[in-house]
Amino acid sequence: MDSRPVGVFDSGVGGLTVLHECLVTMPHEDFVYLGDHARLPYGPRPLGEIRRFAREIATYLAAQDVKLVLVACNAATSAALPQLQEELALPVVGVITPEAHAAVQATRNRKIGLLATQATVEAGRYAELVHALDAGAQLVPVACPRLVPLIESDDPFSAETTEAVREYAGTLKEAEVDTVILGCTHYPLIRPIFQRVFGRGVTLVFSAEETAREVAETLARKGIENGEGREGAYRFLTTGEPSLFRELGERFLQLPLGEIEQVAVADLEAVA
């Protein structure tokens, strides 16, 4: 048994959808989650800058004695995962590989769509992974800059959100994809809208469920899982204002947040 916590980070609250699945899949594990609110959003930033932020946070979490780092952010995974896996002396799991694998397994016509932020699309990691798994598969990526602000608004299920999803889905429908990767951790919050727009004929792949399974399998494979006869704890850190983190966080986690600690960006930079 290994009672150390699992470290999870994201640019903000979107990664809480992944944490929720982890808490359900591994109720006996402890987790510490860091949201980099002071520097969000990551999506429009250059990949090099995102890579630096991810390295700072992952190094900080490693110094907190976590046993695994989960990069619960598609943009950070796209920009930094290989580098983090090389530099850190502990397992690092991202949200892209599990999704790519699930999408290749699910598709029947080998036409896969991707909805994600600009940074994730530009990084091209999904295309690399999909083609590594099936060289004949076609990936159609679409950047969705309007979705994250709409999902974080007071009314994420507004007509404007549905209109935006329809707009972005249009390209994928024209390409006749039968599987769509929802490549942003915010997107599970409006899952019903995606299901309505695409219909039952299209398989939707979400990062949260696939990634939680990958984390559980990694802990078991490494022999560092916690004992099952206990209920795990979780705590939260943010580089931004704790009250703002709480305001959105409970909507994404769908569980009480408890105490939220503030971490200065300078502390992250100093550790890295």
Side-chain angles (χ1 to χ4, degrees), residues 6 37 66 73 83 111 155 169 185 188 223 227 229 244-245 250 264 267 272:
V6 173
H37 269 77
V66 300
C73 172
Q83 180 188 20
K111 294 180 180 178
D155 186 8
T185 53
L244 296 177
F245 183 94
E250 290 185 343
D267 292 341

Side-chain angles (χ1 to χ4, degrees), residues 148-167:
V148 168
L150 286 169
I151 293 169
E152 290 194 353
S153 71
D154 292 335
D155 186 8
F157 294 98
S158 67
E160 188 178 357
T161 305
T162 303
E163 177 191 338
V165 170
R166 283 203 181 102
E167 176 189 328

Side-chain angles (χ1 to χ4, degrees), residues 2 5 14 21 23 45-47 53 67 73 83 99 113 116 127 133 140 156 178-179 189 209 215 222 227 251 272:
D2 190 330
E21 290 300 323
L23 293 173
R45 291 182 181 273
L47 291 173
F53 292 171
K67 60 185 176 183
C73 172
Q83 180 188 20
E99 286 182 325
L133 293 164
V140 183
D178 71 352
T179 302
L189 205 69
E209 298 156 10
V215 171
K222 300 284 187 181
R251 184 199 299 179

Side-chain angles (χ1 to χ4, degrees), residues 88-129:
L88 296 182
L90 71 168
V92 184
V93 174
V95 290
I96 289 181
T97 301
E99 286 182 325
H101 186 262
V104 169
Q105 286 189 318
T107 184
R108 302 173 302 281
N109 66 6
R110 302 168 88 192
K111 294 180 180 178
I112 300 169
L114 168 66
L115 299 177
T117 64
Q118 189 67 42
T120 299
V121 168
E122 286 180 2
R125 285 287 295 156
Y126 276 104
E128 292 173 10
L129 290 166

Side-chain angles (χ1 to χ4, degrees), residues 30-211:
D30 292 347
F31 293 87
V32 54
Y33 179 99
L34 195 155
D36 192 14
H37 269 77
R39 300 184 289 194
L40 62 76
Y42 281 11
R45 291 182 181 273
L47 291 173
E49 190 172 38
I50 299 171
R51 190 174 299 117
R52 176 167 61 84
F53 292 171
R55 183 173 178 270
E56 290 170 358
I57 297 170
T59 305
Y60 180 86
L61 288 173
Q64 301 291 306
D65 197 30
V66 300
K67 60 185 176 183
L68 179 147
V69 170
L70 169 56
V71 188
C73 172
N74 296 75
T77 300
S78 300
L81 185 64
Q83 180 188 20
L84 297 180
Q85 290 174 330
E86 287 176 10
E87 293 184 0
L88 296 182
L90 71 168
V92 184
V93 174
V95 290
I96 289 181
T97 301
E99 286 182 325
H101 186 262
V104 169
Q105 286 189 318
T107 184
R108 302 173 302 281
N109 66 6
R110 302 168 88 192
K111 294 180 180 178
I112 300 169
L114 168 66
L115 299 177
T117 64
Q118 189 67 42
T120 299
V121 168
E122 286 180 2
R125 285 287 295 156
Y126 276 104
E128 292 173 10
L129 290 166
V130 165
H131 293 148
L133 293 164
D134 181 358
Q138 176 187 358
L139 184 77
V140 183
V142 176
C144 310
R146 292 170 59 196
L147 286 186
V148 168
L150 286 169
I151 293 169
E152 290 194 353
S153 71
D154 292 335
D155 186 8
F157 294 98
S158 67
E160 188 178 357
T161 305
T162 303
E163 177 191 338
V165 170
R166 283 203 181 102
E167 176 189 328
Y168 297 133
T171 300
L172 303 186
K173 288 184 174 183
E174 288 176 11
E176 298 181 342
V177 304
D178 71 352
T179 302
V180 175
I181 299 170
L182 299 178
C184 174
T185 53
H186 277 68
Y187 296 173
L189 205 69
I190 58 165
R191 185 174 191 157
I193 295 178
F194 287 112
Q195 290 174 325
R196 166 68 173 159
V197 170
F198 283 106
R200 292 200 181 276
V202 173
T203 300
L204 301 179
V205 176
F206 291 85
S207 62
E209 298 156 10
E210 303 299 334
T211 304

Side-chain angles (χ1 to χ4, degrees), residues 236-253:
F236 300 94
L237 312 173
T238 178
T239 57
E241 176 56 48
S243 61
L244 296 177
F245 183 94
R246 181 181 303 282
E247 187 178 329
L248 272 176
E250 290 185 343
R251 184 199 299 179
F252 280 78
L253 186 65

